[in-house]
Each structure stands twice: as C-alpha cells, then as structure tokens.
Amino acid sequence: MSSIASSARIHPLAVVEDGAVIGENVVVGPFSRVGSRVVLKDGVHIISNAVVDGFTEVGADCRIHPMAVIGGVSQSLHEAGEDSKLVIGARCTIREGVTMNSGTVGGGGITSVGDDCLFLANSHVAHDCRLGNNIILSNNVMLAGHVIVGDRAILSGGCAVHQFTRIGRQAFIGGLSAVNYDVIPYGMLNGNPGILGGLNVVGMTRAGIERAVIHKVRRAYKDIFEAEGSVRSNAAALRNDYLDCPEALEVVDFICAESDRAISSPYRGKA
C-alpha cells in the first residue's frame, strides 16, 4: 500500500507503484515512474519523463529532470538481483539523462550521495559509489563502481574515474581527464593520463581557507611529491610536522590510508 501525503501532486499521466512513500509537497510530473520501494522525501520535484526505481530514497527538496534514471540495478557483471540501495541526500539537482545505480551486495549494498550536490546532464554514478556533500559532476562525467568522492569536489565535463578510486575533498578534475589513481584532497588533476598539477588554490580560497593555511598545505605538497623516496613514505615521515594544520594533515592521512589504487602525482604517466 502506497503512502502518499495529501499535499503531494501526482500528475494523472505519471505512474506511482503500490508501496511507494511520497512526502509532503512532492511533485511527480507527467510520464514519470516511481517504483514500489521508492521513498521521496518532502519537497522532491520530478519534472517529467524520469524514472526512480529500486530500493531508493531521495532526500528533501531534490529536483529530478527529464530522462534521468535513478536507482536502476547496477551494471556490475556480478549483479544477481539482490536487494541493494541508493540513498540521495537533500537539495540535490539531477539534470537531464543522469543515471545513478543501486549498490551491490559485494560492495556493501549501498550507493550514497550527500546533500546539495549538482549532477549535470548525462553524468553517471555507478554501483557502490560514495559521494559527499556539495559535489559537482559536470556533463558526461562517468564514475565507475566503488568510487569515493569527498565534499566540495568538482569534476569537469567528460572526465572518467576508474573503479575503486578515491577523490579527496575539494579536489578539482579537469575536463576530459582520465582519473586512474587516487587524487589527494585539494588536488588539481588534468589530462589523459591524469597528472596532478598542484593544489586547487582557487577552490580553497573560495571555501574561506586562510592564506597562511594554503601556504602550509603547499609546503606539505612539495615535501611529499618533490622529496626523494616514495610518496607514501614521505607523507608518513612528515605527519608530525603538520599536527597544527588539519588541512595538511588531511592530505597526509589520505595518502597513508589503505587504498586499492596508487596516488596520482605530478610525474605519473610522464615519459
């Protein structure tokens, strides 16, 4: 039995399957379909011609544009129809043709998206991805399975991210880049193969990070990537030097954490 709030507006040409939960002031436009296990929180607006399916929860005040397919089964070769989830936070904008897949049992069973994210046309979020808050995926960005993206990261148009890759908080990925390896917090990556080109100083400044802190992070970046030795050993060796700078420490801890992928660097992929 569906639970549809009295203030919800369901267009007569929309299909809301029995069992769906529809919150207050939700709008479901014409030719849209809402599956039986979907939860639409208060204020969600599905404009028209969109599909929300699977075991999917869409946060309050999200806006879903035409031709988006949200909560479809994963494209994993191991997909076997198990119950898995897609959870989207509040106030996300999902533009035309966006696709987001549910998780897989082998990957934890959930794909998650934070609050206040913007997904531009035809971007794709694959199974078991975990996205933070205030993220922007520009047109045609492709996230493979199990990708982790930190808060306030920006991925420019047409870039592709390899499965199991981590992208740190406030990183910036240039258009058409191939992201084959982890990108540090505040890192700026461009090219195919992707080359780390320094720090996203503009983004850091816009986020209100003080100039003195940016200089410390720059010094840590230089100590990690320009010194002799491996990137991980360099980061581990200087951790105690940056205990007074959470932003630099975040970079160090990101590099030292266990990961399925190597770390993007200014030199990886160069002749």
Side-chain angles (χ1 to χ4, degrees):
M1 190 71 178
S2 297
S3 173
I4 301 177
S6 60
S7 59
R9 290 179 289 157
I10 312 296
H11 194 280
L13 295 178
V15 174
V16 176
E17 294 187 353
D18 192 30
V21 178
I22 310 296
E24 298 288 348
N25 299 307
V26 167
V27 176
V28 180
F31 308 109
S32 297
R33 176 176 171 271
V34 178
S36 62
R37 298 185 297 172
V38 170
V39 176
L40 302 181
K41 296 292 187 69
D42 296 349
V44 170
H45 187 173
I46 302 175
I47 294 174
S48 71
N49 297 86
V51 175
V52 185
D53 204 1
F55 194 176
T56 297
E57 179 180 302
V58 181
D61 299 313
C62 287
R63 191 173 181 88
I64 301 175
H65 287 249
M67 311 312 295
V69 180
I70 308 302
V73 297
S74 78
Q75 299 177 84
S76 170
L77 293 175
H78 304 292
E79 173 63 44
E82 311 99 329
D83 283 342
S84 57
K85 295 182 179 180
L86 168 65
V87 178
I88 301 172
R91 299 175 301 280
C92 292
T93 298
I94 299 170
R95 293 301 303 255
E96 296 82 358
V98 170
T99 51
M100 295 185 184
N101 294 161
S102 297
T104 63
V105 171
I110 185 169
T111 302
S112 63
V113 173
D115 300 333
D116 300 297
C117 295
L118 173 60
F119 300 89
L120 297 186
N122 300 307
S123 54
H124 174 66
V125 178
H127 60 89
D128 305 298
C129 287
R130 289 183 283 155
L131 278 61
N133 303 316
N134 298 103
I135 290 167
I136 298 175
L137 266 59
S138 298
N139 294 34
N140 302 303
V141 168
M142 297 170 285
L143 302 186
H146 311 275
V147 168
I148 299 173
V149 184
D151 295 347
R152 299 180 67 90
I154 297 175
L155 284 71
S156 302
C159 71
V161 184
H162 193 285
Q163 63 183 356
F164 293 101
T165 297
R166 298 177 299 150
I167 296 177
R169 185 164 69 94
Q170 281 192 222
F172 181 89
I173 311 299
L176 301 178
S177 294
V179 187
N180 295 316
Y181 304 105
D182 293 348
V183 181
I184 61 171
Y186 314 108
M188 188 165 56
L189 182 136
N190 284 283
N192 184 359
I195 301 297
L196 193 64
L199 297 177
N200 180 19
V201 174
V202 172
M204 297 172 77
T205 302
R206 288 175 178 172
I209 298 176
E210 296 179 357
R211 183 180 297 272
V213 173
I214 294 174
H215 286 318
K216 281 189 176 182
V217 179
R218 273 179 161 170
R219 187 167 70 246
Y221 178 93
K222 184 175 181 179
D223 291 342
I224 292 168
F225 289 102
E226 296 184 11
E228 293 184 5
S230 72
V231 168
R232 283 196 167 95
S233 63
N234 290 345
L238 57 80
R239 188 179 193 282
N240 290 337
D241 297 340
Y242 292 96
L243 295 177
D244 63 338
C245 182
E247 291 81 2
L249 201 59
E250 183 180 2
V251 175
V252 169
D253 289 343
F254 181 94
I255 292 171
C256 293
E258 290 187 13
S259 176
D260 293 288
R261 308 296 297 164
I263 299 292
S264 296
S265 82
Y267 314 106
R268 187 178 299 279
K270 290 187 176 180

